[in-house]
Amino acid sequence: MYVIRHLTRAALLTCFISSPTLAEGYFSNLLSLIKPPHSHTALYAKNLVTDQVVFEQNADTLLLPASTQKLLTAVAATAQLGDDFTFNTELYSRYPIRDGKVTGDLFLTFSGDPTLTTQDLRGLFKQLEDLGVSKINGDLYLVGDSNEQLQAPGWVWDDLGICFAAPVSQFVINQNCVHGQLKPMLASNKSQLSFASYLPVKFYNSAIFDKNKQEPFCDLDLKRLANNQFQLSGCYPGSKNIKLAVAISDPALFASDTLKQIIASSKIKLAGSVKLSNMSPNYANIIAKHSSQTLPQLLETMLLKSDNLIADSLLKQIGQSYYNSAGSFKNGSQAMREILTQAGVDLTHAQIVDGSGLSRYNLLSAKQLSQVLGLIYTDKRFMGLLNSLPLSGVSGTLQYKSYFNRKPLVNYVYAKTGSMQGVDNLAGFIKKPYFDDTLFVVLENGQSPLEKKEQIAPFSALFLQTLLDYEPSKVTSSLSH
C-alpha cells in the first residue's frame, strides 16, 4: 500500500466533486493510503508560480524540526553576518619582531572556527617562520572562553560522545573530533582500540566482539571521563572492524595540548609555556592570521553535509553580532528569532534553542518552515541558498537517500533533510522542466524504528511523487467526461 504507482488515478478521481476541491480531494485520498499509521505528520505545499497553496495538513502543528532548523540558521546568518563573513584565527604580539624574536608574550585568539585544523595552525606558525621568527621570549596564550556552554539544552546525553554532537566552543580544532578503529583480536573475543598516537586523548578499552552473535544484548558503551579521557566497554555483534568518531570533552584542554605539539615540532622555540586566557590582548598587533572560507561556502557545507558544528558555531556568531556581546546558544537563538521575525516569518509559539536542530526542545511548524523557504525563493539576499541545498540523487544528504536517487524524484528535489531518532523531515523545492516550481514541507515525528525498516519508501518521497503526479488540468478534463 506504500507504492503510489500501484494506485490508479481513475479510481481516485471518482471521489472528486468540483474543481475548487480537486487538490484537497486528490491529496486527502492518496494520503489515506500512503500516510504512516503511527507517526505524527504535517504537510505543506505551495505552487510558487501561481502563489496558490496546493495542500496543507496540520501545517500549524509544532513538531521537532531536526536539521531542517539549519534553514533558519542559513537565512539568519546571511542577513546578520553578510557574505564576506569569515572566522579568523589570529596571532598577536604587543611588541614588534626584532632579531628573529618576539619580545614578551604571544597571543593566539580563537574565534570558534568550526573548520579550523591542525594544518591551519601549523600554517600560522609557518607565517612566523617566514617572518624570520625563531624564538618567543614569553608565553603563548590561547585566547577564548573556556567556560562557555558547549552543548545546547535538549541535546540527547548519549549523543555527546559522538562527533555529530561535538562541543561548540571558541576552541575548535579538527571539528573537536578524533577518529579511530576498533578491531577484533584473533582467537579471542577481546578487541584492540587504535587511535593516532599523537592525539592528546586517552582511551581505556574493555570492549569485546560477539563474533558468533550469541549474546542476546550486545551494545558498545562509551563513557566520557575528565581531561579528554574515555572508557569503551560492552560488546559489538560481529567480527568486522568498526570505525569510531569520538567527540572530545574538553575543547580548551584539547587546544592547549595540540598547540604544545605544534610548537614542539616547529622551528620556533617557546621560552615560556602554553596557557589559556579569557581576555584578548590590549595594544597588540596582528602578526599572522588564518581565515576560514566565506559565509556562502560555510553555509553550502552546512546544508549539504548537515554539519551541526558549523550551524551552532554560526548561531553563536549571530548572537555575538546582533547583541554585541559574547555569543551563546541563548542570545544566538533569540537573535535568530528577531532577525527572521523582522524578515516576515511568523514564529509565534515556535521554540528555537540551537542552530543545528540537535535539541529535542526545538519546535517549528510546517507553515513556519515554508515561510523561511519563501524567503530563500523570493528575497535576493537569500536566493543563493537554494543552489546550496542537497539535490536528489546528486549531492549532500539526498545523494543516496532511498527513493530520491531514482525516477521520478532524482535531479528535481532541492531540499534540507532533518533526521534523528523518530524523526524524518524534508523541506525544500521541486524544480522540474514543464512543472511549476513548488515549495514543500514534510514533517514526520514519532516514527517507529521498526516501521522505518519495513517501509518501502520514505513518506516524504511518496508525498512528493503525488505532487509531481498532480495535474489539475488533466483531472478537470477527466471529470468533464
mmCIF file of all heavy atoms in Angstrom, residues 190-235:
data_model
loop_
_atom_site.group_PDB
_atom_site.id
_atom_site.type_symbol
_atom_site.label_atom_id
_atom_site.label_comp_id
_atom_site.label_asym_id
_atom_site.label_seq_id
_atom_site.Cartn_x
_atom_site.Cartn_y
_atom_site.Cartn_z
ATOM 1 N N LYS A 190 38.334 -10.515 22.607
ATOM 2 C CA LYS A 190 38.815 -9.196 23.001
ATOM 3 C C LYS A 190 38.985 -8.292 21.783
ATOM 4 O O LYS A 190 38.999 -8.754 20.641
ATOM 5 C CB LYS A 190 40.131 -9.319 23.758
ATOM 6 C CG LYS A 190 40.000 -10.016 25.110
ATOM 7 C CD LYS A 190 41.341 -10.046 25.844
ATOM 8 C CE LYS A 190 41.191 -10.708 27.209
ATOM 9 N NZ LYS A 190 42.479 -10.754 27.943
ATOM 10 N N SER A 191 39.140 -7.004 22.037
ATOM 11 C CA SER A 191 39.267 -6.033 20.954
ATOM 12 C C SER A 191 40.517 -5.197 21.132
ATOM 13 O O SER A 191 41.067 -5.084 22.232
ATOM 14 C CB SER A 191 38.037 -5.124 20.912
ATOM 15 O OG SER A 191 37.982 -4.313 22.077
ATOM 16 N N GLN A 192 40.937 -4.610 20.036
ATOM 17 C CA GLN A 192 42.075 -3.685 20.053
ATOM 18 C C GLN A 192 41.582 -2.330 19.548
ATOM 19 O O GLN A 192 41.009 -2.227 18.467
ATOM 20 C CB GLN A 192 43.201 -4.198 19.167
ATOM 21 C CG GLN A 192 44.413 -3.278 19.123
ATOM 22 C CD GLN A 192 45.518 -3.804 18.222
ATOM 23 O OE1 GLN A 192 45.351 -4.842 17.589
ATOM 24 N NE2 GLN A 192 46.624 -3.093 18.164
ATOM 25 N N LEU A 193 41.805 -1.302 20.354
ATOM 26 C CA LEU A 193 41.373 0.046 20.008
ATOM 27 C C LEU A 193 42.575 0.844 19.541
ATOM 28 O O LEU A 193 43.586 0.925 20.245
ATOM 29 C CB LEU A 193 40.728 0.720 21.219
ATOM 30 C CG LEU A 193 40.149 2.120 21.028
ATOM 31 C CD1 LEU A 193 39.029 2.122 20.007
ATOM 32 C CD2 LEU A 193 39.653 2.669 22.361
ATOM 33 N N SER A 194 42.490 1.431 18.359
ATOM 34 C CA SER A 194 43.626 2.178 17.830
ATOM 35 C C SER A 194 43.224 3.589 17.441
ATOM 36 O O SER A 194 42.234 3.793 16.738
ATOM 37 C CB SER A 194 44.229 1.451 16.611
ATOM 38 O OG SER A 194 43.275 1.335 15.576
ATOM 39 N N PHE A 195 43.967 4.557 17.962
ATOM 40 C CA PHE A 195 43.868 5.962 17.585
ATOM 41 C C PHE A 195 45.277 6.442 17.289
ATOM 42 O O PHE A 195 46.264 5.847 17.756
ATOM 43 C CB PHE A 195 43.260 6.801 18.715
ATOM 44 C CG PHE A 195 41.767 6.722 18.797
ATOM 45 C CD1 PHE A 195 41.155 5.664 19.448
ATOM 46 C CD2 PHE A 195 40.970 7.697 18.228
ATOM 47 C CE1 PHE A 195 39.779 5.581 19.532
ATOM 48 C CE2 PHE A 195 39.596 7.630 18.303
ATOM 49 C CZ PHE A 195 38.995 6.570 18.954
ATOM 50 N N ALA A 196 45.407 7.500 16.517
ATOM 51 C CA ALA A 196 46.727 8.052 16.228
ATOM 52 C C ALA A 196 47.428 8.386 17.549
ATOM 53 O O ALA A 196 46.844 9.022 18.433
ATOM 54 C CB ALA A 196 46.601 9.294 15.358
ATOM 55 N N SER A 197 48.674 7.953 17.661
ATOM 56 C CA SER A 197 49.398 8.080 18.928
ATOM 57 C C SER A 197 49.641 9.528 19.335
ATOM 58 O O SER A 197 49.807 9.825 20.516
ATOM 59 C CB SER A 197 50.744 7.347 18.838
ATOM 60 O OG SER A 197 51.523 7.872 17.773
ATOM 61 N N TYR A 198 49.624 10.442 18.379
ATOM 62 C CA TYR A 198 49.918 11.840 18.706
ATOM 63 C C TYR A 198 48.699 12.579 19.261
ATOM 64 O O TYR A 198 48.828 13.689 19.779
ATOM 65 C CB TYR A 198 50.436 12.578 17.465
ATOM 66 C CG TYR A 198 49.478 12.592 16.307
ATOM 67 C CD1 TYR A 198 48.445 13.525 16.237
ATOM 68 C CD2 TYR A 198 49.591 11.661 15.270
ATOM 69 C CE1 TYR A 198 47.558 13.541 15.184
ATOM 70 C CE2 TYR A 198 48.703 11.665 14.211
ATOM 71 C CZ TYR A 198 47.693 12.596 14.164
ATOM 72 O OH TYR A 198 46.810 12.591 13.113
ATOM 73 N N LEU A 199 47.522 11.996 19.157
ATOM 74 C CA LEU A 199 46.321 12.682 19.621
ATOM 75 C C LEU A 199 46.360 12.846 21.140
ATOM 76 O O LEU A 199 46.630 11.881 21.864
ATOM 77 C CB LEU A 199 45.063 11.903 19.221
ATOM 78 C CG LEU A 199 44.722 11.872 17.742
ATOM 79 C CD1 LEU A 199 43.582 10.901 17.473
ATOM 80 C CD2 LEU A 199 44.355 13.279 17.243
ATOM 81 N N PRO A 200 46.065 14.041 21.650
ATOM 82 C CA PRO A 200 46.127 14.281 23.095
ATOM 83 C C PRO A 200 44.860 13.817 23.815
ATOM 84 O O PRO A 200 44.182 14.586 24.494
ATOM 85 C CB PRO A 200 46.305 15.797 23.181
ATOM 86 C CG PRO A 200 45.603 16.328 21.983
ATOM 87 C CD PRO A 200 45.802 15.296 20.894
ATOM 88 N N VAL A 201 44.527 12.545 23.620
ATOM 89 C CA VAL A 201 43.379 11.936 24.289
ATOM 90 C C VAL A 201 43.824 10.579 24.822
ATOM 91 O O VAL A 201 44.853 10.036 24.400
ATOM 92 C CB VAL A 201 42.186 11.753 23.325
ATOM 93 C CG1 VAL A 201 41.651 13.098 22.856
ATOM 94 C CG2 VAL A 201 42.582 10.888 22.128
ATOM 95 N N LYS A 202 43.049 10.015 25.736
ATOM 96 C CA LYS A 202 43.388 8.711 26.295
ATOM 97 C C LYS A 202 42.142 7.845 26.358
ATOM 98 O O LYS A 202 41.081 8.300 26.803
ATOM 99 C CB LYS A 202 43.999 8.848 27.688
ATOM 100 C CG LYS A 202 44.547 7.531 28.245
ATOM 101 C CD LYS A 202 45.348 7.750 29.512
ATOM 102 C CE LYS A 202 45.976 6.447 29.991
ATOM 103 N NZ LYS A 202 46.797 6.649 31.224
ATOM 104 N N PHE A 203 42.279 6.583 25.915
ATOM 105 C CA PHE A 203 41.166 5.640 25.916
ATOM 106 C C PHE A 203 41.498 4.425 26.764
ATOM 107 O O PHE A 203 42.621 3.910 26.729
ATOM 108 C CB PHE A 203 40.853 5.170 24.485
ATOM 109 C CG PHE A 203 40.088 6.169 23.667
ATOM 110 C CD1 PHE A 203 40.755 7.151 22.950
ATOM 111 C CD2 PHE A 203 38.701 6.129 23.609
ATOM 112 C CE1 PHE A 203 40.060 8.070 22.195
ATOM 113 C CE2 PHE A 203 38.007 7.052 22.855
ATOM 114 C CZ PHE A 203 38.668 8.027 22.141
ATOM 115 N N TYR A 204 40.501 3.979 27.519
ATOM 116 C CA TYR A 204 40.577 2.706 28.242
ATOM 117 C C TYR A 204 39.569 1.777 27.580
ATOM 118 O O TYR A 204 38.406 2.133 27.399
ATOM 119 C CB TYR A 204 40.234 2.893 29.719
ATOM 120 C CG TYR A 204 41.092 3.919 30.417
ATOM 121 C CD1 TYR A 204 40.665 5.237 30.521
ATOM 122 C CD2 TYR A 204 42.330 3.576 30.955
ATOM 123 C CE1 TYR A 204 41.446 6.196 31.150
ATOM 124 C CE2 TYR A 204 43.125 4.521 31.595
ATOM 125 C CZ TYR A 204 42.668 5.832 31.679
ATOM 126 O OH TYR A 204 43.444 6.775 32.308
ATOM 127 N N ASN A 205 40.001 0.594 27.202
ATOM 128 C CA ASN A 205 39.152 -0.282 26.401
ATOM 129 C C ASN A 205 38.993 -1.663 27.028
ATOM 130 O O ASN A 205 39.972 -2.338 27.313
ATOM 131 C CB ASN A 205 39.751 -0.427 24.995
ATOM 132 C CG ASN A 205 38.972 -1.409 24.142
ATOM 133 O OD1 ASN A 205 37.745 -1.443 24.200
ATOM 134 N ND2 ASN A 205 39.682 -2.217 23.353
ATOM 135 N N SER A 206 37.741 -2.046 27.245
ATOM 136 C CA SER A 206 37.442 -3.410 27.707
ATOM 137 C C SER A 206 36.350 -4.035 26.836
ATOM 138 O O SER A 206 35.731 -5.022 27.228
ATOM 139 C CB SER A 206 37.004 -3.395 29.173
ATOM 140 O OG SER A 206 35.831 -2.620 29.341
ATOM 141 N N ALA A 207 36.095 -3.451 25.674
ATOM 142 C CA ALA A 207 35.034 -3.943 24.794
ATOM 143 C C ALA A 207 35.407 -5.290 24.188
ATOM 144 O O ALA A 207 36.588 -5.613 24.004
ATOM 145 C CB ALA A 207 34.774 -2.933 23.677
ATOM 146 N N ILE A 208 34.384 -6.077 23.899
ATOM 147 C CA ILE A 208 34.595 -7.384 23.273
ATOM 148 C C ILE A 208 33.769 -7.476 21.990
ATOM 149 O O ILE A 208 32.831 -6.693 21.772
ATOM 150 C CB ILE A 208 34.216 -8.551 24.214
ATOM 151 C CG1 ILE A 208 32.715 -8.481 24.553
ATOM 152 C CG2 ILE A 208 35.066 -8.515 25.481
ATOM 153 C CD1 ILE A 208 32.200 -9.696 25.310
ATOM 154 N N PHE A 209 34.121 -8.450 21.142
ATOM 155 C CA PHE A 209 33.358 -8.749 19.941
ATOM 156 C C PHE A 209 32.589 -10.048 20.148
ATOM 157 O O PHE A 209 33.169 -11.060 20.556
ATOM 158 C CB PHE A 209 34.290 -8.905 18.731
ATOM 159 C CG PHE A 209 34.676 -7.612 18.088
ATOM 160 C CD1 PHE A 209 35.738 -6.868 18.579
ATOM 161 C CD2 PHE A 209 33.988 -7.130 16.983
ATOM 162 C CE1 PHE A 209 36.110 -5.671 17.990
ATOM 163 C CE2 PHE A 209 34.344 -5.932 16.389
ATOM 164 C CZ PHE A 209 35.406 -5.202 16.886
ATOM 165 N N ASP A 210 31.302 -10.005 19.903
ATOM 166 C CA ASP A 210 30.472 -11.216 19.906
ATOM 167 C C ASP A 210 30.472 -11.757 18.476
ATOM 168 O O ASP A 210 29.558 -11.511 17.699
ATOM 169 C CB ASP A 210 29.058 -10.874 20.382
ATOM 170 C CG ASP A 210 28.134 -12.079 20.380
ATOM 171 O OD1 ASP A 210 28.645 -13.220 20.370
ATOM 172 O OD2 ASP A 210 26.899 -11.870 20.363
ATOM 173 N N LYS A 211 31.528 -12.490 18.148
ATOM 174 C CA LYS A 211 31.765 -12.874 16.752
ATOM 175 C C LYS A 211 30.676 -13.773 16.181
ATOM 176 O O LYS A 211 30.373 -13.727 14.984
ATOM 177 C CB LYS A 211 33.128 -13.558 16.636
ATOM 178 C CG LYS A 211 34.294 -12.638 16.985
ATOM 179 C CD LYS A 211 35.625 -13.364 16.878
ATOM 180 C CE LYS A 211 36.781 -12.426 17.237
ATOM 181 N NZ LYS A 211 38.099 -13.109 17.197
ATOM 182 N N ASN A 212 30.086 -14.599 17.023
ATOM 183 C CA ASN A 212 29.047 -15.528 16.554
ATOM 184 C C ASN A 212 27.633 -15.020 16.844
ATOM 185 O O ASN A 212 26.657 -15.753 16.655
ATOM 186 C CB ASN A 212 29.245 -16.899 17.199
ATOM 187 C CG ASN A 212 30.579 -17.526 16.814
ATOM 188 O OD1 ASN A 212 30.984 -17.454 15.649
ATOM 189 N ND2 ASN A 212 31.269 -18.114 17.785
ATOM 190 N N LYS A 213 27.558 -13.804 17.344
ATOM 191 C CA LYS A 213 26.270 -13.155 17.634
ATOM 192 C C LYS A 213 25.382 -14.032 18.511
ATOM 193 O O LYS A 213 24.208 -14.301 18.209
ATOM 194 C CB LYS A 213 25.555 -12.806 16.323
ATOM 195 C CG LYS A 213 26.339 -11.857 15.430
ATOM 196 C CD LYS A 213 25.575 -11.470 14.171
ATOM 197 C CE LYS A 213 26.377 -10.520 13.307
ATOM 198 N NZ LYS A 213 25.652 -10.125 12.071
ATOM 199 N N GLN A 214 25.951 -14.448 19.634
ATOM 200 C CA GLN A 214 25.227 -15.312 20.563
ATOM 201 C C GLN A 214 24.650 -14.534 21.746
ATOM 202 O O GLN A 214 23.758 -15.027 22.430
ATOM 203 C CB GLN A 214 26.159 -16.428 21.080
ATOM 204 C CG GLN A 214 26.632 -17.375 19.984
ATOM 205 C CD GLN A 214 27.577 -18.428 20.518
ATOM 206 O OE1 GLN A 214 28.209 -18.246 21.564
ATOM 207 N NE2 GLN A 214 27.675 -19.549 19.814
ATOM 208 N N GLU A 215 25.156 -13.338 21.991
ATOM 209 C CA GLU A 215 24.684 -12.557 23.136
ATOM 210 C C GLU A 215 23.329 -11.925 22.814
ATOM 211 O O GLU A 215 23.162 -11.299 21.765
ATOM 212 C CB GLU A 215 25.684 -11.455 23.492
ATOM 213 C CG GLU A 215 27.038 -11.968 23.963
ATOM 214 C CD GLU A 215 26.957 -12.633 25.313
ATOM 215 O OE1 GLU A 215 26.028 -12.287 26.091
ATOM 216 O OE2 GLU A 215 27.794 -13.506 25.595
ATOM 217 N N PRO A 216 22.326 -12.104 23.702
ATOM 218 C CA PRO A 216 21.011 -11.517 23.424
ATOM 219 C C PRO A 216 21.013 -9.985 23.480
ATOM 220 O O PRO A 216 20.224 -9.335 22.800
ATOM 221 C CB PRO A 216 20.124 -12.107 24.530
ATOM 222 C CG PRO A 216 21.066 -12.463 25.634
ATOM 223 C CD PRO A 216 22.350 -12.862 24.967
ATOM 224 N N PHE A 217 21.886 -9.410 24.311
ATOM 225 C CA PHE A 217 22.001 -7.958 24.418
ATOM 226 C C PHE A 217 23.468 -7.589 24.265
ATOM 227 O O PHE A 217 24.291 -7.950 25.118
ATOM 228 C CB PHE A 217 21.464 -7.466 25.757
ATOM 229 C CG PHE A 217 20.047 -7.875 26.011
ATOM 230 C CD1 PHE A 217 19.756 -8.929 26.859
ATOM 231 C CD2 PHE A 217 19.007 -7.220 25.375
ATOM 232 C CE1 PHE A 217 18.441 -9.315 27.082
ATOM 233 C CE2 PHE A 217 17.690 -7.588 25.590
ATOM 234 C CZ PHE A 217 17.407 -8.646 26.448
ATOM 235 N N CYS A 218 23.770 -6.899 23.178
ATOM 236 C CA CYS A 218 25.173 -6.618 22.877
ATOM 237 C C CYS A 218 25.285 -5.198 22.328
ATOM 238 O O CYS A 218 24.898 -4.918 21.191
ATOM 239 C CB CYS A 218 25.697 -7.621 21.858
ATOM 240 S SG CYS A 218 27.459 -7.470 21.510
ATOM 241 N N ASP A 219 25.806 -4.292 23.157
ATOM 242 C CA ASP A 219 25.955 -2.896 22.759
ATOM 243 C C ASP A 219 27.257 -2.334 23.305
ATOM 244 O O ASP A 219 27.690 -2.695 24.416
ATOM 245 C CB ASP A 219 24.798 -2.042 23.287
ATOM 246 C CG ASP A 219 23.467 -2.433 22.680
ATOM 247 O OD1 ASP A 219 23.281 -2.196 21.476
ATOM 248 O OD2 ASP A 219 22.631 -2.989 23.422
ATOM 249 N N LEU A 220 27.865 -1.439 22.511
ATOM 250 C CA LEU A 220 29.042 -0.731 22.990
ATOM 251 C C LEU A 220 28.620 0.426 23.884
ATOM 252 O O LEU A 220 27.573 1.034 23.684
ATOM 253 C CB LEU A 220 29.862 -0.195 21.812
ATOM 254 C CG LEU A 220 30.616 -1.219 20.968
ATOM 255 C CD1 LEU A 220 31.284 -0.523 19.786
ATOM 256 C CD2 LEU A 220 31.672 -1.945 21.803
ATOM 257 N N ASP A 221 29.456 0.735 24.866
ATOM 258 C CA ASP A 221 29.170 1.832 25.784
ATOM 259 C C ASP A 221 30.407 2.714 25.897
ATOM 260 O O ASP A 221 31.506 2.225 26.167
ATOM 261 C CB ASP A 221 28.788 1.290 27.164
ATOM 262 C CG ASP A 221 28.468 2.413 28.134
ATOM 263 O OD1 ASP A 221 27.633 3.256 27.813
ATOM 264 O OD2 ASP A 221 29.089 2.446 29.222
ATOM 265 N N LEU A 222 30.232 4.009 25.650
ATOM 266 C CA LEU A 222 31.334 4.963 25.751
ATOM 267 C C LEU A 222 31.075 5.904 26.913
ATOM 268 O O LEU A 222 30.052 6.608 26.935
ATOM 269 C CB LEU A 222 31.476 5.765 24.450
ATOM 270 C CG LEU A 222 32.586 6.821 24.429
ATOM 271 C CD1 LEU A 222 33.967 6.155 24.395
ATOM 272 C CD2 LEU A 222 32.412 7.772 23.249
ATOM 273 N N LYS A 223 31.974 5.926 27.865
ATOM 274 C CA LYS A 223 31.874 6.854 28.993
ATOM 275 C C LYS A 223 32.882 7.977 28.800
ATOM 276 O O LYS A 223 34.046 7.740 28.471
ATOM 277 C CB LYS A 223 32.132 6.132 30.315
ATOM 278 C CG LYS A 223 31.009 5.226 30.778
ATOM 279 C CD LYS A 223 31.277 4.691 32.173
ATOM 280 C CE LYS A 223 30.057 3.941 32.710
ATOM 281 N NZ LYS A 223 29.703 2.771 31.903
ATOM 282 N N ARG A 224 32.407 9.215 29.002
ATOM 283 C CA ARG A 224 33.247 10.396 28.874
ATOM 284 C C ARG A 224 33.802 10.750 30.241
ATOM 285 O O ARG A 224 33.055 11.101 31.156
ATOM 286 C CB ARG A 224 32.427 11.547 28.281
ATOM 287 C CG ARG A 224 31.826 11.225 26.946
ATOM 288 C CD ARG A 224 30.670 12.110 26.544
ATOM 289 N NE ARG A 224 31.083 13.490 26.374
ATOM 290 C CZ ARG A 224 30.591 14.496 27.056
ATOM 291 N NH1 ARG A 224 29.679 14.293 28.003
ATOM 292 N NH2 ARG A 224 30.997 15.725 26.836
ATOM 293 N N LEU A 225 35.099 10.667 30.392
ATOM 294 C CA LEU A 225 35.764 10.962 31.651
ATOM 295 C C LEU A 225 36.384 12.354 31.585
ATOM 296 O O LEU A 225 36.338 13.029 30.559
ATOM 297 C CB LEU A 225 36.832 9.894 31.933
ATOM 298 C CG LEU A 225 36.364 8.435 31.826
ATOM 299 C CD1 LEU A 225 37.541 7.478 32.047
ATOM 300 C CD2 LEU A 225 35.241 8.141 32.815
ATOM 301 N N ALA A 226 36.976 12.784 32.680
ATOM 302 C CA ALA A 226 37.608 14.104 32.721
ATOM 303 C C ALA A 226 38.861 14.140 31.859
ATOM 304 O O ALA A 226 39.467 13.110 31.546
ATOM 305 C CB ALA A 226 37.951 14.459 34.169
ATOM 306 N N ASN A 227 39.253 15.354 31.451
ATOM 307 C CA ASN A 227 40.533 15.598 30.768
ATOM 308 C C ASN A 227 40.669 14.826 29.458
ATOM 309 O O ASN A 227 41.738 14.309 29.137
ATOM 310 C CB ASN A 227 41.705 15.261 31.698
ATOM 311 C CG ASN A 227 41.661 16.072 32.968
ATOM 312 O OD1 ASN A 227 41.331 17.260 32.951
ATOM 313 N ND2 ASN A 227 41.969 15.435 34.098
ATOM 314 N N ASN A 228 39.568 14.754 28.686
ATOM 315 C CA ASN A 228 39.584 14.083 27.379
ATOM 316 C C ASN A 228 40.030 12.626 27.474
ATOM 317 O O ASN A 228 40.789 12.128 26.634
ATOM 318 C CB ASN A 228 40.465 14.857 26.389
ATOM 319 C CG ASN A 228 39.876 16.201 26.039
ATOM 320 O OD1 ASN A 228 38.660 16.361 25.952
ATOM 321 N ND2 ASN A 228 40.736 17.196 25.836
ATOM 322 N N GLN A 229 39.514 11.960 28.495
ATOM 323 C CA GLN A 229 39.729 10.529 28.659
ATOM 324 C C GLN A 229 38.386 9.816 28.484
ATOM 325 O O GLN A 229 37.333 10.351 28.819
ATOM 326 C CB GLN A 229 40.317 10.217 30.025
ATOM 327 C CG GLN A 229 41.677 10.869 30.267
ATOM 328 C CD GLN A 229 42.267 10.464 31.594
ATOM 329 O OE1 GLN A 229 42.804 9.363 31.752
ATOM 330 N NE2 GLN A 229 42.167 11.357 32.573
ATOM 331 N N PHE A 230 38.452 8.586 27.960
ATOM 332 C CA PHE A 230 37.237 7.856 27.627
ATOM 333 C C PHE A 230 37.370 6.383 28.010
ATOM 334 O O PHE A 230 38.473 5.818 27.962
ATOM 335 C CB PHE A 230 36.951 7.950 26.122
ATOM 336 C CG PHE A 230 36.843 9.366 25.616
ATOM 337 C CD1 PHE A 230 37.980 10.054 25.197
ATOM 338 C CD2 PHE A 230 35.624 10.015 25.586
ATOM 339 C CE1 PHE A 230 37.889 11.359 24.745
ATOM 340 C CE2 PHE A 230 35.530 11.323 25.131
ATOM 341 C CZ PHE A 230 36.656 11.993 24.716
ATOM 342 N N GLN A 231 36.240 5.789 28.370
ATOM 343 C CA GLN A 231 36.187 4.356 28.684
ATOM 344 C C GLN A 231 35.230 3.688 27.709
ATOM 345 O O GLN A 231 34.048 4.021 27.653
ATOM 346 C CB GLN A 231 35.700 4.148 30.120
ATOM 347 C CG GLN A 231 35.403 2.694 30.471
ATOM 348 C CD GLN A 231 36.665 1.851 30.578
ATOM 349 O OE1 GLN A 231 37.573 2.202 31.324
ATOM 350 N NE2 GLN A 231 36.725 0.765 29.829
ATOM 351 N N LEU A 232 35.748 2.743 26.907
ATOM 352 C CA LEU A 232 34.924 1.989 25.979
ATOM 353 C C LEU A 232 34.726 0.583 26.531
ATOM 354 O O LEU A 232 35.693 -0.118 26.848
ATOM 355 C CB LEU A 232 35.588 1.917 24.604
ATOM 356 C CG LEU A 232 34.764 1.280 23.473
ATOM 357 C CD1 LEU A 232 33.521 2.116 23.177
ATOM 358 C CD2 LEU A 232 35.599 1.096 22.215
ATOM 359 N N SER A 233 33.473 0.173 26.660
ATOM 360 C CA SER A 233 33.168 -1.143 27.206
ATOM 361 C C SER A 233 31.978 -1.735 26.447
ATOM 362 O O SER A 233 31.494 -1.166 25.474
ATOM 363 C CB SER A 233 32.863 -1.047 28.703
ATOM 364 O OG SER A 233 31.754 -0.186 28.932
ATOM 365 N N GLY A 234 31.495 -2.876 26.938
ATOM 366 C CA GLY A 234 30.373 -3.535 26.284
ATOM 367 C C GLY A 234 30.830 -4.455 25.173
ATOM 368 O O GLY A 234 31.983 -4.900 25.151
ATOM 369 N N CYS A 235 29.936 -4.742 24.234
ATOM 370 C CA CYS A 235 30.296 -5.662 23.155
ATOM 371 C C CYS A 235 29.693 -5.224 21.837
ATOM 372 O O CYS A 235 28.762 -4.409 21.790
ATOM 373 C CB CYS A 235 29.867 -7.089 23.492
ATOM 374 S SG CYS A 235 28.101 -7.415 23.316
#
